[in-house]
Amino acid sequence: MRLLFIPLLVSFTFLAAHATSAETSQTTQTEQSRNPGPVPYRVQKPPLDTPWTYTVGTNPWPQHPRPQLRRDDAWQNLNGIWTYQPAASASASAAPATPPATPPAGELEREVLVPSCIESGLSGIQARNVTRMWFARKFSVPASWEGRSVVVHFDAVDYEATVFVNGGEVGSHVGGYDRFTVDVTRSVEFGGENDLLVFVHDPTDMPPYVNPVGKQKSTPSHIWYTPCSGIWQTVWMESVPSNHITRLDISGDMNGTVTMTAHGSTNQSTPVEVSVLGPNGGVLATASSLSDGPFSFAVPSPILWSPSSPALYSVRVKMGDDEVSSYTGFRSISMGVVEGVKRPMLNGEFVFLLGTLDQGYWPDGIYTPPSHEAMRYDLQVLKELGFNMLRKHIKVEPDLFYEACDRMGIMVVQDMPSLPDDTERRPPDAMQQDEFQRQLEAMVDNHKSHPSIVAWVLFNEGWGQLRHPPWFEARLTPVVRALDPTRLINAVSGWFDHGFGDFSDNHHYPTPQCGTPFATPPSSAYDARRIGFQGEFGGIGLNVSIEHLWNVPEAIATINQTYELAADRAAYNARSRELFGMLRSQVEQYACSGGVWTQTSDVEGEVNGLLTYDRRLLRPEVAQWKEDTRSVYEAAAARGGWGGGDGLRGGVRHQQPLG
């Protein structure tokens, strides 16, 4: 295998500031004898690091984790150093309904960083094939919180979690991608120290389990990656009134209509007051209604949200004794007909959706980005290259990711994490289908207030999709439509299309077949009743020197499975120009309304990212790619779409002095 060195191409200055070496994290027996107690936390050296690996420290992700439901004066971040140990249990196939009968006594074995995947270097564990595990920490509840409810939020634990406080069980949850909350009011000591213990079971894709796992694989290979187990998103605690807002569903449309539901923690119908603020803090509109039901009101002449003008408005909501802050953007997503062709519409006009397949994997954190800065870096690269969209590929990110897309102006096509890929051998039974639907509904409900999300994807390339009627997507499409009528639905991205949803989606590597009368099986030719979309194309690779590769022999051995490998950077960019030219031609001649280039970054054995897996090298020649993406938008503009550098005219359709 010939390895090529590519000069450092990324221009963002913060990449230059990173540690160049790291201590090995294996604590010796001598060190343990001198330091009784849990093995101290140290970053494990991963097969590949990033510029942020050794700057994370022990206070990861300190930001408020839920920007659309904030109570800034009464919350505590519980991230940081916890303790961990594997759970003694039966075989991995044993029923996980309950944790071991006796929780571990005393301190756990090792310190671990939360949030993180235990398979990651950042966790301090870097263990594989542990399916049952314990996490613990001590926490203090301020005496001033007494008389109010105390809740602990887990933003994501993969996959099944049982939570104990001061020795008593307080709650449990199933699902690796959605948040859950436990009320610990009756279990904590106010003004004193408390014990928090979490049991986690994560079977990943091990038979007989058929769970939503995305690209996680217990035996990684090429397009299947290292799994993530444990507490991988933020844990935090709040003081709230007994009757408090648990979720805000809020959306604003292009006509200035705000639709909102404030969900309460009790069955009491409670008065709700809402104010929408301008940039200077002035009140633009107010409304009042009751909790737990939708209501609407108008904001006069708002600036509309778009990638060129990602205008957001602050929102304050008061329900009884509870008050929270949030935000929204004004935009409308729909399917329309432009010059006789079905098109995706943003604010009433055809917008060409051009983005990347964004998998959200990191060599040091696996599922958990090392920092907020690192997470935003990928998005900055996409904006710099001229993309107006990303397809978040079979993974659900923290709320702060979607907030960054909201603020930066990046449209999101959001996938549901798929079931394991061996559907023909292990099709989901009725109970597994019900569980998939439950978790799909949770994903939509948890994230539907983000203006950047424009479409939901139910299935990718047949994974978890039944091969016989009644079609699973026939059941799920109306469910999602009822939960969120404000967005488009891509029922099937890539293969086995049975005519449901709003997109006729083709996958083809490396050349596109977008909105065309021809297609290569198992994809289908364009269906004129729906939007022509190239759900994946490109995927051309460029190998690099070993210091930028996931240095695992099994991964390196699969590099030659890349769809197409370029000889050098010049050939890579020349070939990418050809492929964008083909896409542009299909926009001009056929019914192509969007394309997804594979992919944002390398992942493990894949070397077809715009960025290498360590985020240190950028393969595209920036000026060329900006020119090529612009040319695609211009072709769409000639077919009745919005023009401009990112396919939009600017988005400022209405304007008034704000606040």
Side-chain angles (χ1 to χ4, degrees):
M1 179 177 63
R2 185 161 62 97
L3 299 179
L4 303 171
F5 175 75
I6 303 175
L8 183 62
L9 301 170
V10 181
S11 61
F12 298 99
T13 57
F14 62 78
L15 274 189
H18 62 84
T20 57
S21 63
E23 295 180 294
T24 60
S25 60
Q26 297 297 327
T27 302
T28 65
Q29 292 180 348
T30 302
E31 288 177 307
Q32 283 185 259
S33 65
R34 289 199 304 262
N35 299 285
V39 176
Y41 170 75
R42 290 183 182 177
V43 177
Q44 299 281 323
K45 184 173 176 57
L48 182 67
D49 62 18
T50 73
W52 302 273
T53 303
Y54 305 111
T55 65
V56 171
T58 58
N59 184 32
W61 290 91
Q63 299 84 3
H64 192 290
R66 205 169 299 178
Q68 290 189 306
L69 192 65
R70 295 180 61 118
R71 302 175 183 89
D72 288 326
D73 58 345
W75 78 285
Q76 288 185 16
N77 195 314
L78 298 181
N79 291 343
I81 299 300
W82 292 44
T83 56
Y84 158 89
Q85 73 183 40
S89 66
S91 68
S93 62
T98 59
T102 305
E107 294 182 302
L108 303 185
E109 295 173 354
R110 301 184 63 89
E111 291 186 341
V112 63
L113 192 70
V114 170
S116 64
C117 310
I118 65 163
E119 294 85 352
S120 72
L122 283 176
S123 72
I125 306 298
Q126 202 164 234
R128 291 288 305 277
N129 301 317
V130 179
T131 59
R132 289 170 168 80
M133 63 212 79
W134 291 99
F135 297 85
R137 68 158 289 160
K138 295 185 181 297
F139 67 103
S140 297
V141 180
S144 61
W145 287 12
E146 193 162 9
R148 290 164 60 89
S149 294
V150 178
V151 293
V152 177
H153 305 287
F154 294 82
D155 280 3
V157 179
D158 199 349
Y159 175 71
E160 298 171 315
T162 306
V163 183
F164 303 83
V165 171
N166 294 330
E169 183 176 334
V170 293
S172 61
H173 179 74
V174 175
Y177 299 94
D178 60 307
R179 64 177 72 118
F180 66 98
T181 297
V182 291
D183 189 322
V184 300
T185 311
R186 296 182 179 180
S187 302
V188 298
E189 179 183 343
F190 291 88
E193 192 171 67
N194 299 273
D195 293 314
L196 177 59
L197 186 67
V198 183
F199 173 78
V200 177
H201 171 249
D202 183 18
T204 309
D205 60 345
M206 302 173 94
Y209 300 98
V210 181
N211 305 321
V213 293
K215 286 292 192 80
Q216 300 180 74
K217 194 80 165 179
S218 54
T219 55
S221 177
H222 195 44
I223 67 168
W224 308 105
Y225 316 133
T226 301
C228 172
S229 303
I231 305 170
W232 70 274
Q233 288 189 27
T234 289
V235 184
W236 53 297
M237 177 174 63
E238 280 189 297
S239 168
V240 294
S242 57
N243 184 18
H244 60 275
I245 299 169
T246 58
R247 193 180 90 209
L248 276 181
D249 298 340
I250 183 168
S251 65
D253 69 16
M254 60 180 289
N255 299 311
T257 300
V258 176
T259 301
M260 194 181 85
T261 301
H263 298 267
S265 58
T266 70
N267 293 322
Q268 304 170 9
S269 184
T270 307
V272 173
E273 299 174 1
V274 57
S275 301
V276 178
L277 312 179
N280 298 323
V283 176
L284 302 179
T286 61
S288 60
S289 187
L290 296 175
S291 64
D292 301 299
F295 64 96
S296 298
F297 61 95
V299 173
S301 303
I303 297 175
L304 301 189
W305 187 95
S306 77
S308 293
S309 175
L312 298 175
Y313 288 75
S314 296
V315 177
R316 292 177 184 164
V317 182
K318 184 175 176 58
M319 186 189 79
D321 295 330
D322 193 20
E323 186 168 354
V324 300
S325 61
S326 187
Y327 70 84
T328 192
F330 291 88
R331 89 291 178 272
S332 295
I333 310 297
S334 61
M335 179 170 63
V337 178
V338 177
E339 298 183 359
V341 179
K342 291 288 180 69
R343 300 293 193 183
M345 312 290 280
L346 175 61
N347 299 331
E349 300 189 64
F350 164 34
V351 56
F352 192 89
L353 305 171
L354 186 60
T356 60
L357 196 74
D358 192 84
Q359 304 214 58
Y361 272 79
W362 297 82
D364 46 10
I366 311 299
Y367 255 20
T368 308
S371 69
H372 190 263
E373 177 187 57
M375 180 193 72
R376 284 180 56 89
Y377 175 68
D378 283 4
L379 303 178
Q380 290 168 339
V381 169
L382 299 186
K383 289 289 285 189
E384 176 67 15
L385 293 173
F387 293 108
N388 65 10
M389 176 269 288
L390 61 84
R391 179 183 169 201
K392 177 46 64 178
H393 191 40
I394 53 179
K395 180 195 176 190
V396 181
E397 295 285 2
D399 284 10
L400 290 169
F401 175 89
Y402 302 101
E403 182 203 27
C405 293
D406 294 340
R407 297 194 181 282
M408 295 172 68
I410 299 176
M411 293 181 288
V412 177
V413 173
Q414 176 65 51
D415 289 12
M416 173 62 189
S418 62
L419 298 172
D421 66 308
D422 56 348
T423 301
E424 294 188 18
R425 185 170 63 90
R426 284 195 292 162
D429 61 25
M431 291 182 62
Q432 291 160 346
Q433 291 175 49
D434 289 345
E435 181 60 20
F436 182 86
Q437 177 176 330
R438 185 190 69 81
Q439 294 188 39
L440 170 65
E441 292 179 19
M443 180 187 76
V444 173
D445 280 337
N446 287 347
H447 299 288
K448 64 185 179 182
S449 294
H450 287 282
S452 57
I453 298 177
V454 299
W456 305 108
V457 179
L458 308 187
F459 293 101
N460 177 78
E461 295 187 352
W463 305 336
Q465 183 185 359
L466 296 178
R467 298 291 191 270
H468 55 76
W471 308 115
F472 200 2
E473 61 271 28
R475 162 183 167 180
L476 296 179
T477 300
V479 169
V480 174
R481 190 85 73 192
L483 286 176
D484 181 14
T486 72
R487 289 180 177 86
L488 301 173
I489 297 174
N490 189 344
V492 176
S493 184
W495 305 343
F496 309 119
D497 184 3
H498 302 110
F500 300 97
D502 302 312
F503 290 87
S504 177
D505 185 335
N506 181 303
H507 290 188
H508 194 258
Y509 289 106
T511 57
Q513 297 177 344
C514 182
T516 68
F518 52 86
T520 303
S523 286
S524 304
Y526 168 63
D527 175 358
R529 299 170 300 169
R530 294 174 293 153
I531 296 165
F533 192 65
Q534 188 68 49
E536 296 178 25
F537 81 109
I540 57 174
L542 176 59
N543 208 345
V544 292
S545 51
I546 190 65
E547 63 265 31
H548 302 292
L549 292 175
W550 179 249
N551 195 2
V552 173
E554 293 84 356
I556 292 175
T558 63
I559 286 175
N560 62 2
Q561 295 180 29
T562 302
Y563 303 106
E564 183 179 298
L565 280 168
D568 54 33
R569 184 172 178 244
Y572 171 88
N573 281 288
R575 181 60 166 151
S576 71
R577 171 152 279 185
E578 289 180 1
L579 298 179
F580 275 111
M582 293 179 188
L583 184 70
R584 181 174 63 249
S585 175
Q586 291 168 13
V587 176
E588 294 168 342
Q589 298 181 61
Y590 301 113
C592 181
S593 294
V596 179
W597 180 276
T598 302
Q599 58 185 331
T600 302
S601 75
D602 295 351
V603 185
E604 301 195 4
E606 293 187 289
V607 294
N608 55 359
L610 306 179
L611 290 159
T612 50
Y613 198 20
D614 61 3
R615 272 62 170 188
R616 288 189 171 96
L617 304 181
L618 181 66
R619 292 182 175 93
E621 203 291 312
V622 174
Q624 176 199 305
W625 278 61
K626 291 175 73 171
E627 186 177 293
D628 289 342
T629 54
R630 184 182 301 111
S631 73
V632 175
Y633 297 129
E634 290 171 349
R639 298 290 306 275
W642 288 4
D646 62 359
L648 303 177
R649 252 204 293 269
V652 184
R653 295 273 308 283
H654 308 285
Q655 193 160 1
Q656 68 172 26
L658 298 181

